[in-house]
Amino acid sequence: MIRTDKPKQPMQRNRVALFATLTILLALAVAYASGFLGPSSPTSGSSLELTRAGDDVVLADPPPLSGGDAAETRERLRLLDDFRTEYWARQDDRAYLVAYARRAAITKDLISAHAAYKGLVRLYPSDPAYQDLLGQIDVQLGLYSEAAELFRGLTRLRPENVNGYIGLAQALYGMGQRDETIKTLEEASRSLLPADAMGHLFIGREFEKLINYPSALAESERAWRAMPLDPVANVLYARILNKLRRISEAHILLEKVVAAHPDNVPARSTLAQVLDNPLNPRRNPALAEHHFLEVLKRARTNTEDARSLGLIYMAQGRYKQAAFIFTLMLASKPNSAAARLQLSKAYAKLGNSTLGKAQGAIAYRLIDRDTRENELGARRSEKPTGVPQRLALAQHYMDHRQYSLALPELQAAFALAPQSPEVRKLQKEFDLRVGVSLAPFAARVASGK
Amino acid sequence: MRTAIALWLILLGTALTGCRSTKQPATSPTGLPQSPIVFHDVAGTSGIDFIRTNGAFGKKWVPETMGGGGAFIDYDRDGLLDVLLINSDWWLPNRLPGSRPTMKLYRNLGNGKFDDVSKQTGLDVPIQGMGAAVGDFDNDGFDDLVVTGVHDLRLFKNEDGKRFSNVTAKSGIVNHGWSTSAAWLDYDRDGKLDLFVCNYVKWTIATDVFCGVKIKTYCEPSVFQADSCRLYRNLGSGKFADETNASGLQTNKSKALGVCILDFDQDGWPDIFVANDLMPNALYRNTGKGKFTDIGLETGMAVSESGISRAGMGVDSADMGATGRHAISIGNFTNEGLALYDTSGPPPYIDASTKAGTNLASAPYVTFGLVFSDLDNDSQSDLVITNGHIADTVSITHRGQTYEQPAQVFRNMGDLTFADVSAQAGAGITTPLVGRGLARGDFDNDGRMDLLLIPNFGPCRLLRNESDSKNSWITLKLTGTKSNRNGYGAFVVITAEGKKQTGLCRSGSGYLTASDQRLHFGLGTATGVESVQISWPSGLKETWKDLQPGRQHDLVEGSGTKS
């Protein structure tokens, strides 16, 4: 079971008892030298009641593979049926268009969202909010030139607003202009008011996505200096510090955030990762386990943290706990190749070769699927305005009944080539398989009639 | 006083627990003080003036950024390792004036100097080259060569250590793919070396893809279709037959860059590990009946622990601690880090590279060349890697990353952890280059393993090992009589002062390179070698007793005591 134990030094499991004794001796020496022998901070691991998974965790059967998300996708898309029907009669109705656009964006029906926001921009051409939102949909649809034009207008109109720059950077990145992308983000940073902490935070995130960590650090530090108590700013700053191997600094920041905001899941999650980082001089897998488990108590469906925790258990040879966590992960994400693979390894190590092989066989199929997805995804990323690339990826998702993933690719293909017979054919197939009727609406939007 | 007590406690604790910093390891696994592993680049002063070209002229054709390789080969059998370096060529639309780049062979004169013998040996030929593999396919006692390349694979027969003849057409070997790493092995144990060739992706100038939008960038392999590796069985009389299909190796799920021959299950039949780029790695288990079965996934080594195919490039295996089994390490892309599998015990295996310390240390880099080698003769295989990005514009697009990257040396600490000792290893390691091929070999026969670093473009580095180690060593040169002449596939167990080490005589491993085929063992403080047991591919098991350390021993099949 998952339980709260008295603290255990992580090395205890790996080394003889003598080592643990000496570790304590060393800690005492350091504390004595510094003249401090008081209680440790609440997250330091020495006085905290640690949450730990024991050997008595009860293993449930692994859940079966998911049969796909056709039903969920259908449910989601049908929520917009009424909006679509009324669209042609209510193109000048602001309240209707706003509601339609928002709902469509949430349900990821990009063609609907595009149509609604375009209507709003037509009605209110000087409202930057609608231009921003339309631009964001343009980027998702691969309409990068249109998006860039909108965002350039926005940056001229409101140079102090970060949204225009970020949208422009994303559009330029889609167009393959990576130098210009970086220049745009740098310009954004210069244009922002010094107190615009959120602006710097957003730019920092964009640099992080571009794996430009030095710039991400500079931006996140600006955000953190402006909002030193804000957990979001702290977490981003710490995350980048960790990526740049300034681990001790990240560690200290995160301990403070978690102490002040114990229910902040991203902070705990990042702290757990830092605690498990082998380069961390204060590495503490037991405490990392504790924080990962605390995250999962608060966010059970957080599969990334479950995966990280499971991998800690695998590395520690605690295969039963690993099997427990990966089974938990499968409850939220039954078609996860990583979870099936690790479950197969864990069961094999536990001596249950039958279950290990069964999960392995599933894992290999999923790895095959994911390898192909990565291949097609890379081709799409290389040429994001390429219709065949979008269609190939959409077809792959449909072949694996991942309709929610197929839809944006298919809609992007349609936005890029609305008259393409190949696109129209796949749209019809999508509608047929999912049980919706999106293609006629899209065709009518494209024809403007 | 308070400070004094504290210091005393710290010192006591440190002494009793044997604490050590991974950056400044104080003692070796043998308990001896460790001297730094140090290399000195002697390429320039030794006469190796090879400047590699990658043929790039702005088109950003992917093969430009993937080469090149080379080999340590004693082509004239004088007991000294010579150096072969594989070059690219100008592409057809961009033939520059003057002589075309060619591969180069440098003869080791034994006095620290090398002589360019490319012309007299017939190897001064242009080829859109990638790598090389060394093996005596006709068992005439002289090592032959296979050179891989873009739509070009050439077999060169060594004519009595004087010249190389291109016998590709006569041999029946046909490979129009883009071949990368290659290895010789006797997979059917008939005494004749067969050839395994990695093919990367289906790429031609005509089918090249424009990656990027306005400015072209080097494409990643996902853009191109996979191409199957090939196995050519040696029929004798210089003829080969393509057995890829018949052996079960034909696949459309392979973008192979690295190959390592190993006897994974220790059944005496050589197995093949293939490192694939963004495809699952393959471990082809030799069934002993002319067939191979891919057990990469079920052994846990095909993909990352997150179930994702990584950018596998160089690969090598070695005995990690007298277990009789080998660990396998694979070079990967930025942020993926090296993979390291301890293959002791039954599969599935778990990537131990994070625990070992090699993953995070290598994560900032793109690792191509990778070899295990006992660099300080402490009886533990250390690890060397060469790094270099594939995108020449990466410093613009990904700030903080660079095209040229330093190589790295990891010292084996004896408990399957490694310490990054690159900083002390000399400028030949720390000075960034666009690292690709990497081969190990003792070119000066001083018992310290040297390194050959081959970049994508520019001069190569011949790194002489100048580590001030007092450890002893032994080198074994195997010659098969009933088995293939190189003794590839022979499994060796040496016992020195009761401690066993194992090695497999083989071709292949690393990236695009052929390393010294002799078996080199560091012996630590041992002053003698009680026994050397060899299990030859022919099935013969022999023992040699009481061999003297500090020198090379030539062990000929049939001359030992049957065991």
Side-chain angles (χ1 to χ4, degrees), chain B residues 39 68 72 124 146 187 254 261 275 306 361 366-367 397-398 503:
Chain B
F39 293 95
F72 277 122
D124 60 334
V146 69
Y187 82 96
S254 175
I261 305 299
S306 300
V366 180
T367 301
T397 54
H398 295 81

Side-chain angles (χ1 to χ4, degrees), chain A residues 22 26 32 175 177 179 186 210 212 215 245 277-278 307 338 342 345 349 364 368 371 375 378-379 382, chain B residues 2 10 17 211-214 220 222 253 255 279 298 300 305-306 309 348-349 354 360 396 398-399:
Chain A
L22 289 166
L26 280 169
Y32 187 73
M175 294 159 81
Q177 297 179 20
D179 298 357
E186 287 169 345
L210 294 169
N212 187 335
S215 298
R245 303 191 175 199
N277 187 335
R307 188 179 62 83
Q342 291 303 327
K345 286 188 178 186
K349 296 289 183 190
Y364 308 154
D368 214 29
T371 303
E375 192 172 54
R379 288 178 195 174
E382 282 292 350
Chain B
R2 178 185 286 268
I10 290 170
T17 54
C211 295
V213 177
K214 284 185 182 166
E220 63 170 90
S222 308
K253 292 175 182 172
K255 296 177 181 178
M279 288 270 173
E298 64 193 76
E305 296 303 316
S306 300
S309 301
Y349 304 114
T354 304
L360 280 166
I396 301 166
H398 295 81
R399 197 166 296 178

Side-chain angles (χ1 to χ4, degrees), chain B residues 233-546:
Chain B
R233 187 161 72 88
N234 190 336
L235 305 174
S237 308
K239 300 283 184 195
F240 289 80
D242 188 335
E243 292 288 311
T244 311
N245 266 321
S247 63
L249 288 170
Q250 180 70 42
T251 175
N252 60 358
K253 292 175 182 172
S254 175
K255 296 177 181 178
L257 288 175
V259 60
C260 176
I261 305 299
L262 68 169
D263 186 3
F264 170 76
D265 48 6
Q266 290 193 299
D267 63 353
W269 295 93
D271 309 305
I272 306 169
F273 192 102
V274 173
N276 283 313
D277 194 358
L278 297 180
M279 288 270 173
N281 299 318
L283 172 53
Y284 296 111
R285 183 179 164 270
N286 189 337
T287 63
K289 294 172 184 169
K291 299 270 186 193
F292 289 86
T293 311
D294 183 3
I295 56 168
L297 281 164
E298 64 193 76
T299 54
M301 297 188 283
V303 291
S304 75
E305 296 303 316
S306 300
I308 293 167
S309 301
R310 291 183 278 197
M313 287 168 277
V315 56
D316 199 9
S317 71
D319 182 342
M320 277 293 106
T323 59
R325 283 185 179 268
H326 289 70
I328 297 171
S329 187
I330 305 147
N332 291 311
F333 208 74
T334 312
N335 293 326
E336 293 178 335
L338 299 184
L340 180 75
Y341 298 97
D342 173 11
T343 56
S344 308
Y349 304 114
I350 295 163
D351 187 349
S353 59
T354 304
K355 209 170 171 178
T358 55
N359 184 281
L360 280 166
S362 61
Y365 306 118
V366 180
T367 301
F368 278 88
L370 179 151
V371 292
F372 282 111
S373 187
D374 185 354
L375 302 171
D376 51 2
N377 289 331
D378 66 351
S379 78
Q380 304 287 341
S381 291
D382 309 299
L383 182 61
V384 191
I385 59 174
T386 54
N387 306 306
H389 211 280
I390 55 163
D392 52 354
T393 52
V394 70
S395 58
I396 301 166
T397 54
H398 295 81
R399 197 166 296 178
Q401 294 192 38
T402 53
Y403 190 31
E404 292 94 349
Q405 298 176 344
Q408 288 174 289
V409 178
F410 297 101
R411 169 177 262 148
N412 188 336
M413 302 308 294
D415 54 359
L416 212 78
T417 66
F418 291 81
D420 185 349
V421 294
S422 314
Q424 296 93 47
I429 293 292
T430 55
T431 305
L433 80 164
V434 184
R436 295 294 184 261
L438 169 65
R440 63 176 170 256
D442 184 6
F443 77 86
D444 52 5
N445 288 333
D446 67 351
R448 294 176 293 187
M449 292 302 278
D450 311 299
L451 300 170
L452 177 64
L453 274 68
I454 305 150
N456 177 251
F457 62 89
C460 72
R461 295 179 191 173
L462 181 63
L463 301 187
R464 190 172 64 207
N465 188 335
E466 297 185 349
S467 307
D468 186 22
S469 168
K470 302 288 184 288
N471 291 323
S472 63
W473 54 275
I474 190 168
T475 295
L476 307 176
K477 177 162 181 11
L478 274 49
T479 303
T481 51
K482 194 176 174 195
S483 304
N484 68 82
R485 181 98 184 178
N486 296 91
Y488 289 163
F491 185 70
V492 178
V493 182
I494 71 158
T495 307
E497 294 189 350
K499 187 178 174 187
K500 287 187 191 304
Q501 290 186 62
T502 67
L504 183 74
C505 183
R506 65 207 163 117
S507 147
S509 85
Y511 175 72
L512 304 179
T513 49
S515 286
D516 192 345
Q517 61 191 260
R518 296 172 298 179
L519 289 161
H520 166 265
F521 296 93
L523 300 173
T525 54
T527 53
V529 175
E530 293 98 277
S531 71
V532 173
Q533 292 174 294
I534 300 182
S535 303
W536 296 92
S538 63
L540 181 65
K541 292 185 193 328
E542 291 184 286
T543 304
W544 282 261
K545 297 272 189 194
D546 299 323

